[in-house]
Amino acid sequence: MGRLALTRVLLLIPVLLGVSIFIFLLMRMIPGDPAIIIAGENATPEMLKEIRDEFDLDEPLIIQYITFMRNLFSGKVVSIKTRRPVFEELFPRFLNTLQLTLFSMAIAVPLGMILGVLAAAYRNSFLDNFVMVLSLLGVSMPVFWLGIILILIFAVQLGLLPSGGKEGFESLVLPSITIAFALTSMIARMTRAMMIETLSTEFIRTAKAYGLPRRKVIYKYALKNVMIPIVTVIGLQFGYLLGGAVLTESVFGWPGIGRYIVDGIFARDYSVVQTGIMFLSAVFVLVNLGIDILYMFLDPKIRRGVGKS
Amino acid sequence: MRKFFVLITVLLVSMLAIAGGTVKFVLGVDITTLLPADTPDNPTMMVEAHIFEGLVQYDSEMNIVPVLAERWEISEGGKVYTFYLRKGITFHDGTPFNAYAVKKNFEYILNNNLRMGNLYKPNIESMEVVDDYTVKFILKFPFAPFLNYLCHPAGRIVSPKAIDMYGSDPAELGKHAVGTGPFKFVEWIPGERVVLVKNENYWKPGYPKLDKITFVPVPEAVTRVLQVQSGDADLAVNVPAVLLPKLEKDPRVDVVSMPTLRVIFLGLNLKRKPFDDVRVRRALNYAIDKETLCKTIMRGLAVPLDSPISSYTWGHASAGGYPYDPEKAKELLAEAGYPDGFEMELITPKGRYPQDYETAVAIQSMLKKVGIKVNVVTMDWPSYVARVLKTDDYDAHLLGWSPSTGEAFWAIQPVLGTGSVYNRCFYSNPTVDQLLEEAKRETDTSRQLKLLADAQKLIMEDAPWVFLYNVYQVYAKNSKLKGELAIPTEMIVLNEAYLEE
């Protein structure tokens, strides 16, 4: 396990190097000049030149890249738009996103798994159909629309919850539900499909034939076996959500990292986008490492290094 | 007698109830800094307007009114401006406001690379302290719009002590906002909120009335409006026109629309055929029904242009404009050798200005009637700006322009002066350039206005643009919030606002 962790952490170096070059080139390939966008429509040519000089925007690409990497390692990357250190702006937003992600996960993971297992256990029943229709709605409904509808009902009509922003615990509720709805649906559908598959395998039939109680068969033997694919999906979603749920963040004015980077893209704020994407890549790699370690607890075969899946 | 006392008490209590209160103001984006001369964007200027004050400023009718300066004198020849400052004012950090503070503030602007520094660098030679409360600005040349330039938010004055402490890094100074304004800076959590509280020692007696203002960035326009409807916020900027009918029925919300200085136009590429022919350009102006655009597409929140600049911009003079006349347009096109019209590409941003793309599409159908086939091409704002400013690869582009100094010189010169950065129709009329240059240096106001009027008339005749309309700004507010100041430079200020009980 220690070796796995070490290799993965070392793997971060080539991954981040690759990401840094890729995103650097990508940002320069799309049209747009940060100086013009940031200085606004009233800028004089002198103002534009000052911004370009300040951030070496007229230098050759290779020089710009080296300067960026050097600044990154000395922690001195500064946003072109605000002139503040990018990390100082990025980190609080990442914590906000983390908060939102964890809260959504706390709703979606247990709920999704319970619904999925129940739907599989009572296949073709009313409950199953109900869960399936609801989850189809969940995965296909645009979050943007759902968010606005939730605001209309709970904030404007009922006045129960705040309509947006980040002030205390209450403002976490609606955005979390918005994210959790799609997530729950996805986990429920996944769990149901995997459970149905597992329930028709031979070892389950054997277990049933031995006369083990149905409850025990489902929750102890079947569920245990579907944990790996479910954890994989949840893990991927977790990593993905840590990149910020841009639409949800926009609708609720939640100051998360996704919105921050998207704003950076629209302002062509190279420093923000490059640093942000590299940071998120590192987070993604580390989350995946966490999942791999989790596999070992879930599956003794992986722990012992046999039957690699 | 007793009844009288009861009445007085009731009155007093109700007056007390008016004072105070906390207001939440939702903006579209987060602020960028809190250093006025380093601020390129409107939302940030709006926040700064509560913390800082300038020597002079605009009122809601775009008149120049004194703030930190009590009065001023302009020398014969227009090169020296002497300001007599208001006495007994202190910055939020306790530093007294005086001539030295003014001098230090503008020296800081002149000696550093700030984003708005070039408003002052080309025209200010030096500042001179005459006595504690008198300061002189010596200009490099007679510059008639100088007071307008001082009204620009970049001219607001920062505490000299703050400059000493943090000035070596403008970004650092931008985190420590110390001004003389009615509200004091408390905190700025990036992406989350900016909090200001009442300045108890504000120099204007009785003001401010509010205890606290919180500015919150909410990027989604629909959510901004819903926040006001649900009572979570008290004021929201940039309300989309589609939401207006519903909002106007809501008793909790007041919708206010007012003109701005922003004009929307189609810039024609004069380097290309057939737009090098003035008859074609005039034909395009006649073929587009501006009244209908304003009424239907803009839902009444715009007025047709009668000059290249808004009627609220200082120096505006009506130059007639082009009435809707498709017959005349066809005649002009035939005369120019295009009796069957031609095909052209119109590039437009989408969502940058209210109903920008919808306007382009409406223009497409209007021009079809005179035989011109228009291809509307849209792209995201950064790509659009790059295409318009860095290439000449377009027939026509839709753009908006608003002079943040509020006067005609900046409204015209950067977009229509020969060789200017934003002159992307490549218009060049030496007479217009000459008139503007003379107007800039002319110290006699009536002569200056005449020069500006002549320039506007010439531009209208040359028709380098299709002159479309002047847009309004729309904001939604809690119906109990009163007394806000809305200025056509797209600013809303709560310095004298209060919440009604």
Side-chain angles (χ1 to χ4, degrees):
Chain A
M1 193 165 109
R3 240 181 74 196
L4 175 87
L6 189 70
T7 6
R8 285 303 185 81
V9 172
L10 284 178
L11 199 66
L12 264 177
I13 299 169
V15 166
L16 288 183
L17 207 64
V19 167
S20 71
I21 295 173
F22 179 70
I23 196 73
F24 178 86
L25 290 176
L26 199 67
M27 282 310 286
R28 262 92 184 157
M29 262 150 57
I30 51 175
D33 176 347
I36 295 170
I37 293 155
I38 287 159
E41 290 161 336
N42 281 322
T44 62
E46 294 81 20
M47 293 185 207
L48 298 181
K49 195 175 172 327
E50 274 170 13
I51 297 180
R52 289 203 188 104
D53 289 348
E54 192 182 337
F55 291 93
D56 300 326
L57 297 174
D58 287 333
E59 297 287 329
L61 284 188
I62 181 78
I63 306 275
Q64 287 190 41
Y65 179 75
I66 292 170
T67 316
F68 169 72
M69 289 306 272
R70 198 190 299 136
N71 286 342
L72 189 70
F73 280 108
S74 51
K76 282 192 303 205
V77 183
V78 174
S79 155
I80 303 180
K81 190 172 169 193
T82 63
R83 288 177 168 163
R84 290 167 72 129
V86 173
F87 257 101
E88 199 183 291
E89 297 188 331
L90 182 121
F91 202 65
R93 283 172 167 90
F94 175 69
L95 292 182
N96 292 340
T97 296
L98 184 67
Q99 207 179 345
L100 187 58
T101 304
L102 289 176
F103 203 69
S104 315
M105 285 282 191
I107 304 172
V109 172
L111 194 64
M113 281 175 60
I114 291 169
L115 289 176
V117 169
L118 287 178
Y122 302 96
R123 203 174 161 193
N124 294 331
S125 67
F126 169 77
L127 180 81
D128 183 23
N129 292 334
F130 180 73
V131 170
M132 282 299 98
V133 169
L134 198 70
S135 64
L136 187 67
L137 205 69
V139 287
S140 47
M141 192 157 41
V143 279
F144 188 81
W145 181 82
L146 176 64
I148 288 178
I149 293 297
L150 288 178
I151 295 177
L152 267 175
I153 297 173
F154 292 100
V156 179
Q157 294 299 328
L158 302 174
L160 288 174
L161 292 161
S163 50
K166 179 177 176 282
E167 276 162 290
F169 177 75
E170 295 89 3
S171 33
L172 202 59
V173 178
L174 289 183
S176 298
I177 292 176
T178 309
I179 294 176
F181 198 35
L183 202 59
T184 309
S185 308
M186 206 182 303
I187 295 170
R189 293 183 81 83
M190 175 83 191
T191 311
R192 177 182 176 271
M194 298 307 298
M195 280 297 282
I196 287 174
E197 203 187 306
T198 313
L199 286 175
S200 64
T201 53
E202 288 187 351
F203 82 94
I204 293 289
R205 215 176 316 149
T206 315
K208 278 189 194 157
Y210 269 96
L212 291 176
R214 184 177 146 84
R215 188 166 292 190
K216 200 170 176 188
V217 171
I218 292 175
Y219 295 104
K220 188 158 178 209
Y221 294 100
L223 186 59
K224 230 179 177 178
N225 271 280
V226 299
M227 277 315 278
I228 292 233
I230 292 174
V231 166
T232 310
V233 169
I234 293 173
L236 282 174
Q237 283 297 321
F238 183 63
Y240 170 74
L241 281 175
L242 285 183
V246 180
L247 288 177
T248 311
E249 285 172 7
S250 299
V251 172
F252 291 98
W254 184 265
I257 196 166
R259 185 75 218 170
Y260 178 62
I261 293 176
V262 168
D263 283 345
I265 294 173
F266 281 126
R268 299 291 188 266
D269 194 331
Y270 298 150
S271 321
V272 166
V273 180
Q274 285 162 203
T275 315
I277 297 290
M278 285 181 71
F279 177 78
L280 291 183
S281 312
V283 168
F284 203 83
V285 171
L286 293 175
V287 167
N288 274 311
L289 171 67
I291 296 166
D292 284 348
I293 292 172
L294 206 60
Y295 283 165
M296 293 185 198
F297 287 101
L298 293 171
D299 190 343
K301 275 187 288 181
I302 299 177
R303 195 161 42 212
R304 285 197 304 267
V306 281
K308 261 199 157 178
S309 55
Chain B
M1 199 60 195
R2 195 146 166 201
K3 263 187 189 166
F4 179 71
F5 275 113
V6 172
L7 196 70
I8 290 285
T9 322
V10 168
L11 264 174
L12 276 174
V13 168
S14 60
M15 271 169 76
L16 282 174
I18 286 173
T22 299
V23 163
K24 189 163 141 191
F25 191 142
V26 277
L27 304 164
V29 292
D30 192 18
I31 60 167
T32 51
T33 177
L34 283 172
L35 173 56
D38 204 25
T39 304
D41 61 302
N42 222 60
T44 307
M45 293 173 189
M46 206 130 65
V47 175
E48 286 165 353
H50 299 86
I51 310 170
F52 300 98
E53 292 170 307
L55 293 172
V56 284
Q57 73 174 32
Y58 285 122
D59 67 7
S60 58
E61 261 91 53
M62 298 301 291
N63 302 308
I64 297 174
V65 292
V67 185
L68 292 179
E70 234 164 8
R71 61 193 173 86
W72 53 87
E73 280 161 13
I74 304 168
S75 73
E76 201 73 29
K79 265 180 77 171
V80 182
Y81 283 66
T82 310
F83 291 91
Y84 298 93
L85 307 179
R86 217 176 274 279
K87 295 184 178 102
I89 298 177
T90 54
F91 287 96
H92 302 153
D93 60 5
T95 324
F97 167 77
N98 53 30
Y100 298 98
V102 176
K103 183 168 192 266
K104 180 150 199 143
N105 182 71
F106 281 92
E107 271 171 358
Y108 185 74
I109 297 174
L110 298 184
N111 297 331
N112 284 279
N113 281 349
L114 305 181
R115 300 252 154 107
M116 283 294 153
N118 277 294
L119 277 172
Y120 305 110
K121 281 181 181 176
N123 46 59
I124 298 180
E125 174 72 45
S126 62
M127 281 74 55
E128 204 178 279
V129 174
V130 178
D131 60 48
D132 276 6
Y133 294 99
T134 314
V135 65
K136 266 185 185 163
F137 282 76
I138 297 127
L139 306 187
K140 291 181 177 159
F141 48 85
F143 185 58
F146 186 61
L147 282 177
N148 301 86
Y149 276 52
L150 286 180
C151 286
H152 190 284
R156 291 176 181 143
I157 301 196
V158 177
S159 153
K161 196 167 147 200
I163 292 177
D164 281 338
M165 283 167 80
Y166 310 106
S168 55
D169 177 7
E172 201 54 34
L173 184 54
K175 287 190 226 167
H176 300 85
V178 186
T180 56
F183 293 92
K184 289 192 285 191
F185 171 68
V186 179
E187 62 171 347
W188 167 23
I189 307 173
E192 231 168 89
R193 68 179 93 100
V194 180
V195 182
L196 310 182
V197 292
K198 182 178 187 167
N199 172 9
E200 300 286 351
N201 301 319
Y202 189 55
W203 55 271
K204 212 183 227 177
Y207 291 102
K209 302 216 181 236
L210 297 173
D211 294 324
K212 188 175 160 192
I213 310 177
T214 314
F215 295 88
V216 179
V218 176
E220 181 46 49
V222 177
T223 312
R224 282 202 296 275
V225 171
L226 291 178
Q227 292 219 315
V228 179
Q229 276 191 291
S230 67
D232 285 340
D234 303 287
L235 208 155
V237 294
N238 302 344
V239 176
V242 278
L243 295 177
L244 291 181
K246 189 136 200 206
L247 272 180
E248 274 156 3
K249 280 185 223 140
D250 193 330
R252 294 170 293 185
V253 181
D254 278 351
V255 181
V256 186
S257 61
M258 59 165 304
T260 67
L261 304 183
R262 191 173 295 279
V263 297
I264 305 288
F265 59 87
L266 297 188
L268 303 170
N269 187 346
L270 269 58
K271 280 189 191 168
R272 278 198 185 173
K273 272 189 182 314
F275 309 105
D276 55 344
D277 189 328
V278 70
R279 288 170 297 190
V280 171
R281 302 197 300 262
R282 286 186 190 149
L284 287 168
N285 271 293
Y286 281 120
I288 293 168
D289 183 356
K290 276 82 59 182
E291 291 285 347
T292 304
L293 282 180
C294 291
K295 221 177 285 163
T296 59
I297 305 288
M298 298 304 293
R299 294 164 204 259
L301 296 171
V303 282
L305 286 179
D306 62 352
S307 144
I309 66 178
S310 155
S311 58
Y312 296 90
T313 299
W314 189 89
H316 165 269
S318 174
Y322 291 87
Y324 178 51
D325 191 345
E327 288 313 310
K328 191 151 186 183
K330 277 186 202 158
E331 263 170 48
L332 283 165
L333 283 175
E335 222 176 277
Y338 300 95
D340 304 319
F342 51 85
E343 196 172 331
M344 63 180 275
E345 186 190 60
L346 164 58
I347 60 172
T348 172
K350 195 172 181 176
R352 170 72 183 185
Y353 312 111
Q355 283 89 263
D356 42 11
Y357 176 69
E358 291 79 356
T359 296
V361 172
I363 287 173
Q364 184 181 39
S365 70
M366 287 171 181
L367 290 181
K368 203 172 164 191
K369 288 182 191 149
V370 296
I372 300 172
K373 186 174 182 301
V374 180
N375 302 314
V376 176
V377 177
T378 175
M379 58 201 89
D380 74 303
W381 177 248
S383 312
Y384 181 80
V385 177
R387 173 124 176 230
V388 171
L389 291 188
K390 292 198 163 165
T391 75
D392 52 9
D393 177 25
Y394 47 82
D395 292 328
H397 62 278
L398 185 146
L399 212 60
W401 187 257
S402 164
S404 46
T405 52
E407 43 71 53
F409 184 73
W410 199 333
I412 302 173
Q413 209 276 333
V415 266
L416 291 160
T418 302
S420 294
V421 233
Y422 296 100
N423 181 352
R424 303 312 291 174
C425 46
F426 311 104
Y427 172 65
S428 171
N429 183 338
T431 320
V432 170
D433 293 336
Q434 181 64 31
L435 286 168
L436 290 175
E437 203 52 40
E438 273 173 42
K440 195 165 109 176
R441 287 160 192 270
E442 179 59 67
T443 46
D444 180 88
T445 309
S446 64
R447 268 204 299 255
Q448 194 188 14
L449 285 170
K450 173 81 177 61
L451 292 164
L452 289 170
D454 288 349
Q456 290 168 59
K457 205 152 168 270
L458 277 177
I459 294 165
M460 206 69 186
E461 281 166 12
D462 288 339
W465 295 350
V466 175
F467 303 92
L468 294 177
Y469 45 72
N470 179 192
V471 286
Y472 282 47
Q473 65 172 332
V474 186
Y475 58 92
K477 60 166 189 167
N478 171 355
S479 49
K480 286 183 184 134
L481 181 69
K482 307 276 175 191
E484 79 280 8
L485 171 70
I487 310 171
T489 50
E490 298 170 34
M491 288 285 150
I492 301 159
V493 185
L494 303 180
N495 287 346
E496 302 193 353
Y498 56 93
L499 286 166
E500 207 176 53
E501 225 10 81

